[in-house]
């Protein structure tokens, strides 16, 4: 049995796939939470062939459906004694306003609320594993404006506004986990992977799509983008940096909004209330 058990979302492409490959090479037991199980099973097979690591599994988990998140967490709890690393890698950027199965604006649902739910339902395993919780944020958090009354963007939808707010919420989540669970042995880190040339954002139109197309020739590879996540999942002696935002494997500064403790606590409370309204069936 692997010495380290890692759970990762969004591993079938881009940064997540490269992160999974690197950790498979290091002997981590991997549980890939995937929306498409066929792709997930194929990736698990490929990673085993490439690395010789036979402890790689895929579990269905659609982050736009809280019931799917709860079901995935229950499967993990039935299979595992502990989780040592949880990587909230998956994310989403949606050109037009869409709603999740539970009726939430999809950017908020996929980037924040689903991972918040996953963390809470895996908490017994995370505590036993003295886990590291790694969440992919972005420098886009700097354009995020805190609007806890408008998380569903019902009045006005702007792709970069909702995405920036979601990435800001990833940092809020990281800081809150670090504070609330430090006595449980859980540490938390947020990551800016870099501006990575993946399929992320494909189909985005307008000014954002135009800027993405201009930037692509200068973007780093998915393998390079995975380096900080892999570093945080494997490096020793990081407990004193819990709650930090990392870029290029080093602690980096955040926007002033990311240090708003009152808003951060309100987000935590709101997220708990939303999950209570959508409990496991």
């Amino acid at each position: 049995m692997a010495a380290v058990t890692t759970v990762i979302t969004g591993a079938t492409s881009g940064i997540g796939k490269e992160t999974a490959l690197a950790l498979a090479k290091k002997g981590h037991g991997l549980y890939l939470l995937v929306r498409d199980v066929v792709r997930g099973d194929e990736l698990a097979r490929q990673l085993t062939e490439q690395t010789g690591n036979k402890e790689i599994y895929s579990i269905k988990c659609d982050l736009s459906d809280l019931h799917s998140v709860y079901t995935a967490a229950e499967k993990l709890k039935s299979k595992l004694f502990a989780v040592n690393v949880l990587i909230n890698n998956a994310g989403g950027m949606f050109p037009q306003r869409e709603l999740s199965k539970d009726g939430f604006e999809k950017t908020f649902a996929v980037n924040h609320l689903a991972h918040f739910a996953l963390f809470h339902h895996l908490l017994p395993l995370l505590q036993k594993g003295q886990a590291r919780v790694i969440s992919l944020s972005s420098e886009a958090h700097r354009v995020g404006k805190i609007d806890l009354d408008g998380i569903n963007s019902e009045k006005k939808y702007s792709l970069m506004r909702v995405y920036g707010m979601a990435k800001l919420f990833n940092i809020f989540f990281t800081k809150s986990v670090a504070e609330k669970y430090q006595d449980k042995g859980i540490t938390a880190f947020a990551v800016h992977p870099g501006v990575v040339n993946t399929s992320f954002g494909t189909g985005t139109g307008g000014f954002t799509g135009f800027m993405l197309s201009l930037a692509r020739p200068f973007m780093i590879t998915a393998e390079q983008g995975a380096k900080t996540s892999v570093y945080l999942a494997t490096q020793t002696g990081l407990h004193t940096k819990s709650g930090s935002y990392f870029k290029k494997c080093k602690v980096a500064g955040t926007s002033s909004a990311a240090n708003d403790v009152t808003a951060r606590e309100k987000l935590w409370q709101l997220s708990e209330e939303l999950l209570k309204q959508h409990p496991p069936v």
Side-chain angles (χ1 to χ4, degrees), residues 154-173:
E154 292 164 326
K155 294 181 179 179
K156 181 180 179 182
Y157 184 84
S158 163
L159 183 151
M160 283 310 299
R161 184 189 72 82
V162 297
Y163 184 70
M165 185 166 65
K167 295 295 102 180
L168 178 59
F169 287 173
N170 294 150
I171 296 176
F172 277 1
F173 171 74

Side-chain angles (χ1 to χ4, degrees), residues 72-188:
E74 289 304 314
K75 285 185 179 179
L76 287 167
K77 286 193 277 189
S78 72
K79 294 174 180 292
L80 299 172
F81 172 76
V83 171
N84 306 110
V85 181
L86 170 61
I87 305 179
N88 298 322
N89 171 83
M93 178 185 280
F94 306 97
Q96 306 298 325
R97 182 176 182 267
E98 297 181 38
L99 296 181
S100 72
K101 187 171 181 179
D102 306 286
F104 300 113
E105 190 279 314
K106 212 168 182 180
T107 313
F108 171 78
V110 170
N111 290 276
H112 169 70
L113 192 61
H115 286 123
F116 186 88
L118 181 64
F119 169 81
H120 279 83
H121 282 268
L122 290 181
L123 194 53
L125 301 185
L126 297 171
Q127 289 180 194
K128 289 175 184 174
Q130 302 285 281
R132 301 179 184 195
V133 180
I134 301 164
S135 299
L136 263 70
S137 180
S138 166
E139 284 291 273
H141 84 272
R142 298 184 186 280
V143 301
K145 299 289 191 297
I146 302 166
D147 183 9
L148 296 177
D149 295 322
I151 57 167
N152 273 339
S153 303
E154 292 164 326
K155 294 181 179 179
K156 181 180 179 182
Y157 184 84
S158 163
L159 183 151
M160 283 310 299
R161 184 189 72 82
V162 297
Y163 184 70
M165 185 166 65
K167 295 295 102 180
L168 178 59
F169 287 173
N170 294 150
I171 296 176
F172 277 1
F173 171 74
T174 294
K175 289 177 177 289
S176 291
V177 169
E179 287 183 3
K180 295 176 184 294
Y181 295 94
Q182 59 182 340
D183 61 334
K184 305 293 185 183
I186 295 175
T187 51

Side-chain angles (χ1 to χ4, degrees), residues 104 108 113 151 269-278:
F104 300 113
F108 171 78
L113 192 61
I151 57 167
Q269 293 171 359
L270 173 63
S271 302
E272 288 182 327
E273 290 169 8
L274 294 177
L275 293 189
K276 286 178 183 177
Q277 295 170 17
H278 294 81

Side-chain angles (χ1 to χ4, degrees), residues 41-54:
D41 288 345
E42 176 60 20
L43 175 61
R45 185 190 64 77
Q46 290 176 358
L47 292 177
T48 295
E49 284 185 356
Q50 288 177 267
T51 66
N53 185 337
K54 296 180 179 179

